[in-house]
Protein backbone atom coordinates (compact mmCIF):
# COMPACT_ATOMS: atom_id res chain seq x y z
CA UNK A 1 0.00 0.00 0.00
CA UNK A 2 1.30 3.43 -0.88
CA UNK A 3 0.21 7.03 -1.10
CA UNK A 4 2.50 7.45 -4.13
CA UNK A 5 1.09 7.25 -7.65
CA UNK A 6 0.94 3.73 -9.08
CA UNK A 7 3.05 3.49 -12.27
CA UNK A 8 2.32 -0.08 -13.33
CA UNK A 9 -0.34 -2.71 -12.84
CA UNK A 10 0.80 -6.16 -13.99
CA UNK A 11 -1.84 -8.79 -14.77
CA UNK A 12 -0.63 -12.40 -14.67
CA UNK A 13 -3.61 -13.53 -16.79
CA UNK A 14 -7.20 -12.69 -17.60
CA UNK A 15 -9.12 -14.70 -14.97
CA UNK A 16 -11.44 -12.29 -13.15
CA UNK A 17 -9.94 -12.84 -9.68
CA UNK A 18 -6.63 -11.61 -11.13
CA UNK A 19 -7.85 -8.75 -13.30
CA UNK A 20 -11.10 -7.17 -12.12
CA UNK A 21 -9.22 -5.05 -9.57
CA UNK A 22 -7.64 -3.04 -12.40
CA UNK A 23 -10.33 -0.37 -12.21
CA UNK A 24 -9.16 0.60 -8.72
CA UNK A 25 -5.82 1.75 -10.22
CA UNK A 26 -7.09 3.31 -13.42
CA UNK A 27 -5.79 6.84 -13.81
CA UNK A 28 -3.85 8.72 -16.44
CA UNK A 29 -0.33 7.64 -15.61
CA UNK A 30 -0.98 4.00 -14.75
CA UNK A 31 0.32 1.54 -17.34
CA UNK A 32 -1.40 -1.86 -17.42
CA UNK A 33 0.84 -4.73 -18.52
CA UNK A 34 -0.04 -8.21 -19.73
CA UNK A 35 0.98 -11.12 -21.97
CA UNK A 36 0.85 -10.45 -25.71
CA UNK A 37 -2.09 -12.86 -25.95
CA UNK A 38 -4.04 -11.24 -23.12
CA UNK A 39 -6.08 -8.85 -25.34
CA UNK A 40 -7.37 -11.79 -27.40
CA UNK A 41 -8.01 -13.90 -24.32
CA UNK A 42 -10.00 -11.04 -22.83
CA UNK A 43 -12.01 -10.42 -25.99
CA UNK A 44 -13.00 -14.07 -26.29
CA UNK A 45 -14.14 -14.36 -22.66
CA UNK A 46 -15.68 -10.94 -22.13
CA UNK A 47 -19.30 -11.68 -23.05
CA UNK A 48 -19.27 -14.81 -20.90
CA UNK A 49 -17.81 -12.97 -17.90
CA UNK A 50 -20.25 -10.09 -18.25
CA UNK A 51 -23.24 -12.42 -18.37
CA UNK A 52 -22.01 -14.65 -15.57
CA UNK A 53 -21.07 -11.89 -13.15
CA UNK A 54 -24.09 -9.70 -13.73
CA UNK A 55 -26.24 -12.76 -12.93
CA UNK A 56 -24.29 -13.65 -9.80
CA UNK A 57 -23.80 -10.13 -8.46
CA UNK A 58 -27.03 -8.41 -9.52
CA UNK A 59 -26.89 -4.66 -8.96
CA UNK A 60 -23.46 -4.94 -7.33
CA UNK A 61 -22.13 -5.66 -10.83
CA UNK A 62 -23.05 -2.17 -12.06
CA UNK A 63 -19.96 -0.12 -12.92
CA UNK A 64 -17.71 -3.16 -13.33
CA UNK A 65 -14.91 -2.38 -15.76
CA UNK A 66 -12.71 -4.73 -17.75
CA UNK A 67 -9.42 -2.95 -18.37
CA UNK A 68 -6.94 -4.61 -20.71
CA UNK A 69 -3.18 -4.10 -21.05
CA UNK A 70 -1.51 -0.96 -22.50
CA UNK A 71 1.87 -2.70 -22.70
CA UNK A 72 2.44 -6.27 -23.86
CA UNK A 73 5.12 -8.81 -22.97
CA UNK A 74 6.12 -11.22 -25.75
CA UNK A 75 6.98 -14.89 -25.29
CA UNK A 76 10.11 -14.33 -27.40
CA UNK A 77 11.72 -11.93 -24.94
CA UNK A 78 11.15 -11.03 -21.27
CA UNK A 79 10.55 -7.39 -20.34
CA UNK A 80 12.52 -5.65 -17.60
CA UNK A 81 10.77 -2.90 -15.66
CA UNK A 82 13.27 -0.55 -14.07
CA UNK A 83 11.77 0.84 -10.87
CA UNK A 84 14.94 2.69 -9.90
CA UNK A 85 16.49 0.60 -7.17
CA UNK A 86 14.61 -2.51 -8.20
CA UNK A 87 14.19 -4.28 -11.51
CA UNK A 88 11.30 -6.59 -12.28
CA UNK A 89 11.66 -9.28 -14.91
CA UNK A 90 8.35 -10.04 -16.63
CA UNK A 91 8.22 -13.37 -18.46
CA UNK A 92 5.42 -14.44 -20.82
CA UNK A 93 4.89 -18.18 -21.29
CA UNK A 94 3.61 -20.51 -23.95
CA UNK A 95 0.30 -22.23 -23.12
CA UNK A 96 0.16 -23.67 -19.58
CA UNK A 97 -2.47 -22.68 -16.97
CA UNK A 98 -3.87 -20.43 -19.74
CA UNK A 99 -2.45 -19.42 -23.13
CA UNK A 100 -1.25 -16.12 -21.67
CA UNK A 101 0.47 -16.65 -18.29
CA UNK A 102 2.92 -14.02 -17.06
CA UNK A 103 5.28 -14.13 -14.08
CA UNK A 104 7.03 -11.32 -12.23
CA UNK A 105 10.49 -11.82 -10.75
CA UNK A 106 11.79 -9.16 -8.38
CA UNK A 107 15.49 -9.52 -9.13
CA UNK A 108 16.55 -7.61 -6.03
CA UNK A 109 15.02 -10.11 -3.60
CA UNK A 110 14.67 -13.12 -5.96
CA UNK A 111 10.93 -13.20 -5.29
CA UNK A 112 8.73 -14.82 -7.93
CA UNK A 113 5.05 -14.01 -8.42
CA UNK A 114 3.76 -17.01 -10.32
CA UNK A 115 0.20 -15.93 -11.07
CA UNK A 116 -1.82 -19.12 -11.43
CA UNK A 117 1.11 -21.17 -12.70
CA UNK A 118 1.27 -22.21 -9.04
CA UNK A 119 -1.72 -23.14 -6.88
CA UNK A 120 -1.12 -24.19 -3.28
CA UNK A 121 -3.81 -25.83 -1.11
CA UNK A 122 -6.54 -24.98 -3.64
CA UNK A 123 -7.03 -27.25 -6.64
CA UNK A 124 -5.44 -25.94 -9.86
CA UNK A 125 -7.82 -24.89 -12.65
CA UNK A 126 -6.71 -25.94 -16.12
CA UNK A 127 -7.64 -23.44 -18.84
CA UNK A 128 -4.70 -24.06 -21.19
CA UNK A 129 -2.49 -27.12 -21.70
CA UNK A 130 -1.73 -29.87 -19.19
CA UNK A 131 1.45 -30.81 -21.08
CA UNK A 132 2.59 -27.20 -21.32
CA UNK A 133 1.86 -26.57 -17.65
CA UNK A 134 3.77 -29.64 -16.43
CA UNK A 135 6.79 -28.70 -18.57
CA UNK A 136 6.94 -25.17 -17.14
CA UNK A 137 6.52 -26.40 -13.55
CA UNK A 138 9.39 -28.84 -14.04
CA UNK A 139 11.59 -25.94 -15.17
CA UNK A 140 10.63 -23.88 -12.12
CA UNK A 141 11.49 -26.83 -9.93
CA UNK A 142 15.10 -26.67 -11.16
CA UNK A 143 15.41 -23.00 -10.21
CA UNK A 144 15.86 -21.50 -6.80
CA UNK A 145 13.95 -18.53 -5.42
CA UNK A 146 14.07 -16.73 -2.10
CA UNK A 147 10.29 -16.45 -2.02
CA UNK A 148 7.43 -17.63 -4.20
CA UNK A 149 4.03 -15.92 -4.23
CA UNK A 150 1.46 -18.28 -5.76
CA UNK A 151 -1.79 -17.27 -7.44
CA UNK A 152 -3.71 -19.08 -4.69
CA UNK A 153 -2.53 -20.24 -1.26
CA UNK A 154 0.21 -19.08 1.09
CA UNK A 155 3.54 -17.59 0.06
CA UNK A 156 6.60 -19.82 0.38
CA UNK A 157 9.60 -18.11 1.97
CA UNK A 158 13.02 -19.72 1.64
CA UNK A 159 11.27 -21.72 -1.02
CA UNK A 160 12.38 -25.25 -1.80
CA UNK A 161 11.70 -27.14 -4.99
CA UNK A 162 9.14 -29.12 -2.93
CA UNK A 163 6.76 -26.16 -3.25
CA UNK A 164 6.04 -27.29 -6.82
CA UNK A 165 5.48 -30.94 -5.93
CA UNK A 166 1.76 -31.08 -4.97
CA UNK A 167 0.56 -29.36 -8.15
CA UNK A 168 2.94 -31.46 -10.27
CA UNK A 169 1.75 -34.67 -8.62
CA UNK A 170 -1.86 -33.75 -9.28
CA UNK A 171 -1.36 -32.78 -12.94
CA UNK A 172 0.87 -35.77 -13.69
CA UNK A 173 -1.56 -38.22 -12.06
CA UNK A 174 -4.42 -36.78 -14.09
CA UNK A 175 -2.33 -37.02 -17.28
CA UNK A 176 -1.18 -40.60 -16.67
CA UNK A 177 -4.68 -41.83 -15.84
CA UNK A 178 -6.24 -40.12 -18.86
CA UNK A 179 -3.60 -41.51 -21.22
CA UNK A 180 -4.42 -45.02 -20.01
CA UNK A 181 -8.13 -44.52 -20.61
CA UNK A 182 -7.49 -43.13 -24.08
CA UNK A 183 -5.26 -46.09 -24.91
CA UNK A 184 -8.07 -48.43 -23.87
CA UNK A 185 -10.44 -46.49 -26.17
CA UNK A 186 -12.27 -45.09 -23.14
CA UNK A 187 -14.55 -42.06 -23.24
CA UNK A 188 -14.42 -38.61 -21.72
CA UNK A 189 -17.32 -39.52 -19.39
CA UNK A 190 -15.41 -42.51 -18.16
CA UNK A 191 -12.43 -40.27 -17.50
CA UNK A 192 -14.39 -37.73 -15.45
CA UNK A 193 -15.83 -40.59 -13.37
CA UNK A 194 -12.62 -42.46 -12.67
CA UNK A 195 -9.51 -40.32 -13.08
CA UNK A 196 -7.48 -39.64 -9.95
CA UNK A 197 -10.45 -39.62 -7.60
CA UNK A 198 -8.14 -39.68 -4.58
CA UNK A 199 -5.15 -37.80 -5.89
CA UNK A 200 -4.98 -34.62 -3.88
CA UNK A 201 -8.68 -34.80 -3.07
CA UNK A 202 -7.74 -32.74 -0.03
CA UNK A 203 -7.34 -29.74 -2.36
CA UNK A 204 -9.79 -26.96 -1.54
CA UNK A 205 -12.60 -26.71 -4.13
CA UNK A 206 -11.71 -30.19 -5.46
CA UNK A 207 -15.38 -30.95 -6.21
CA UNK A 208 -15.76 -27.77 -8.23
CA UNK A 209 -12.77 -28.03 -10.54
CA UNK A 210 -11.53 -31.60 -10.77
CA UNK A 211 -14.01 -32.86 -13.39
CA UNK A 212 -13.52 -29.73 -15.44
CA UNK A 213 -9.74 -30.27 -15.35
CA UNK A 214 -10.14 -33.87 -16.50
CA UNK A 215 -12.41 -32.81 -19.35
CA UNK A 216 -9.95 -30.13 -20.53
CA UNK A 217 -6.98 -32.49 -20.28
CA UNK A 218 -8.80 -35.30 -22.10
CA UNK A 219 -9.59 -33.06 -25.07
CA UNK A 220 -5.90 -32.17 -25.31
CA UNK A 221 -4.46 -35.65 -24.75
CA UNK A 222 -6.72 -37.54 -27.16
CA UNK A 223 -4.89 -35.80 -30.04
CA UNK A 224 -1.40 -36.84 -28.93
ZN1 LIG B 1 -6.37 -18.41 -13.15
Amino acid sequence: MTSLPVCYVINTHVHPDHMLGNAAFDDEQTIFIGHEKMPNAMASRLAHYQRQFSEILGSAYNGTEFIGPDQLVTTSEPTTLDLGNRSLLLTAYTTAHTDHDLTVLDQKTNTLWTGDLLFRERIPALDGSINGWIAILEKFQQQSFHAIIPGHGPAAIGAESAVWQPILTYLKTVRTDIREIIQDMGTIDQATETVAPNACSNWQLFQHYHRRNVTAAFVELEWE
Side-chain angles (χ1 to χ4, degrees), residues 13 15 17-18 97-98 116 119 125 152:
H13 62 298
H15 288 159
D17 51 327
H18 297 265
H97 160 64
T98 64
D116 277 356
F119 286 72
H152 296 268

Side-chain angles (χ1 to χ4, degrees), residues 49-195:
Y49 286 160
Q50 285 170 329
R51 195 171 52 243
Q52 191 183 29
F53 291 119
S54 59
E55 273 169 23
I56 294 170
L57 298 172
S59 61
Y61 177 80
N62 295 340
T64 298
E65 284 181 78
F66 291 82
I67 298 171
D70 305 307
Q71 186 180 328
L72 301 176
V73 181
T74 63
T75 49
S76 55
E77 195 181 6
T79 294
T80 303
L81 281 188
D82 182 359
L83 303 183
N85 63 349
R86 186 183 297 275
S87 69
L88 302 182
L89 186 71
L90 312 186
T91 305
Y93 295 84
T94 51
T95 306
H97 160 64
T98 64
D99 70 354
H100 58 282
D101 300 299
L102 183 79
T103 61
V104 180
L105 178 67
D106 172 8
Q107 295 181 305
K108 191 170 176 181
T109 60
N110 194 24
T111 299
L112 180 73
W113 279 262
T114 64
D116 277 356
L117 288 173
L118 178 63
F119 286 72
R120 304 185 73 209
E121 300 183 3
R122 176 207 189 277
I123 186 173
L126 175 62
D127 189 15
S129 158
I130 192 164
N131 285 336
W133 200 351
I134 289 169
I136 286 170
L137 289 169
E138 284 177 334
K139 279 189 194 151
F140 281 139
Q141 210 173 25
Q142 305 302 317
Q143 292 171 255
S144 89
F145 302 99
H146 168 66
I148 300 173
I149 319 292
H152 296 268
I157 310 293
E160 302 288 325
S161 68
V163 167
W164 309 98
Q165 204 52 59
I167 185 171
L168 264 169
T169 301
Y170 172 74
L171 293 174
K172 283 181 165 179
T173 308
V174 166
R175 181 170 69 177
T176 303
D177 288 4
I178 291 177
R179 279 179 175 159
E180 272 175 26
I181 290 173
I182 290 170
Q183 246 176 3
D184 295 343
M185 308 296 277
T187 64
I188 202 163
D189 287 337
Q190 215 175 321
T192 56
E193 291 299 328
T194 61
V195 163

Side-chain angles (χ1 to χ4, degrees), residues 208-221:
H208 295 271
Y209 288 93
H210 177 66
R211 278 167 170 264
R212 202 190 293 186
N213 288 339
V214 170
T215 305
F218 191 99
V219 170
E220 174 184 350
L221 296 171

